């Protein structure tokens, strides 16, 4: 066992240790105040963080409600792809139509050249016709006077009449060109002239 002196020394030492002086008391009070302020600050920050998280959660829900679902996104992507395909088709059609327009312009130029050529030929034929027409008219008039045949040009068949040189007798004729040969028709008319 310990002696009294040893016990007293230990007790004095414990007393010294547990002596509270004013400085320690101030330090403990400052620590307690700091701890209280820290707890208040943490509580305030916690409330602020809760409010911020609550606001972000509300914004996230709003954004999520406004945001398109994956199906809507896929549908939108498909619509955009379809529009791109349609655009490519339209551009291709425009290119083809441009080529077709160029070909038509080339054909038009050729046709205009041909038209000019045909107009020149037509003018030449008309000029030749003016020269030939009076000659043919005179030849037909001479033939009619010599043969005494008057033709009915309004008929579908070979039709007319033959007059005798004295003009006393008129012989009508009507022949079907499909039923009779040209040889027969010629001989028939010659026979009527005699």
């Amino acid at each position: 066992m310990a002696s009294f002196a040893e016990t007293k020394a230990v007790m004095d030492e414990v007393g010294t240790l547990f002596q509270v002086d004013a400085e320690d008391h101030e330090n403990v009070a400052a620590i307690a105040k700091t701890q209280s302020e820290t707890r208040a600050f943490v509580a305030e920050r916690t409330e602020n963080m809760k409010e911020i998280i609550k606001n972000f959660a509300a914004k996230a829900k709003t954004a999520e409600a406004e945001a398109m679902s994956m199906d809507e996104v896929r549908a939108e992507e498909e619509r955009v792809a379809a529009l791109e395909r349609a655009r490519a088709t339209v551009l291709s059609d425009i290119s083809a139509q441009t080529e077709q327009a160029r070909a038509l312009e080339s054909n038009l130029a050729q046709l205009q050249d041909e038209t000019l050529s045909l107009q020149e030929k037509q003018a030449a034929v008309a000029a030749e016709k003016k020269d030939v027409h009076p000659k043919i008219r005179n030849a037909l008039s001479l033939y009619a006077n010599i043969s005494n045949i008057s033709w009915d040009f309004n008929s579908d068949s070979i039709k007319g009449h033959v007059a005798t040189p004295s003009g006393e007798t008129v012989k009508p004729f009507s022949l079907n060109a499909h039923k009779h040969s040209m040889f027969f028709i010629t001989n028939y008319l010659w026979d009527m002239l005699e």
Side-chain angles (χ1 to χ4, degrees):
M1 257 195 163
S3 69
F4 176 74
E6 286 177 356
T7 303
K8 184 173 185 278
V10 170
M11 290 298 283
D12 285 340
E13 211 175 299
V14 170
T16 306
L17 285 175
F18 284 110
Q19 268 184 354
V20 177
D21 63 18
E23 189 180 317
D24 286 342
H25 184 44
E26 288 174 7
N27 285 340
V28 170
I31 289 171
K33 181 180 177 188
T34 303
Q35 185 182 20
S36 175
E37 289 173 354
T38 303
R39 282 189 183 139
F41 178 76
V42 167
E44 180 182 336
R45 292 300 262 175
T46 302
E47 285 300 317
N48 286 343
M49 289 306 289
K50 285 180 182 177
E51 191 63 32
I52 289 170
I53 290 170
K54 185 177 173 183
N55 287 339
F56 276 128
K59 287 180 182 179
K61 281 186 180 180
T62 303
E64 187 178 294
E66 292 174 358
M68 292 185 279
S69 69
M70 287 307 288
D71 291 338
E72 290 172 331
V73 170
R74 282 190 209 105
E76 189 65 21
E77 287 173 350
E78 288 174 9
R79 189 178 74 80
V80 168
L83 289 173
E84 285 296 325
R85 286 190 300 274
R87 179 180 176 270
T89 302
V90 167
L91 290 176
S92 175
D93 289 348
I94 288 171
S95 177
Q97 288 177 358
T98 302
E99 288 299 318
Q100 187 178 11
R102 286 187 189 129
L104 289 173
E105 287 173 356
S106 174
N107 288 345
L108 178 62
Q110 289 175 349
L111 290 173
Q112 287 173 339
D113 291 343
E114 288 180 22
T115 301
L116 286 174
S117 175
L118 290 173
Q119 287 174 342
E120 290 170 359
K121 286 180 183 178
Q122 183 181 15
V125 168
E128 188 178 313
K129 181 180 174 184
K130 284 181 183 178
D131 292 339
V132 173
H133 190 63
K135 291 177 187 176
I136 293 173
R137 186 177 295 165
N138 288 336
L140 285 175
S141 176
L142 180 64
Y143 176 74
N145 285 334
I146 291 173
S147 66
N148 291 324
I149 296 177
S150 295
W151 300 98
D152 182 359
F153 294 109
N154 295 326
S155 176
D156 291 336
S157 61
I158 299 172
K159 188 175 182 180
H161 62 273
V162 177
T164 57
S166 62
E168 297 172 5
T169 310
V170 175
K171 299 177 190 174
F173 64 88
S174 178
L175 302 168
N176 188 337
H178 298 292
K179 289 184 179 179
H180 303 290
S181 68
M182 289 307 288
F183 180 76
F184 173 81
I185 293 171
T186 304
N187 286 334
Y188 182 82
L189 290 175
W190 278 112
D191 288 342
M192 287 184 75
L193 291 175
E194 295 176 356

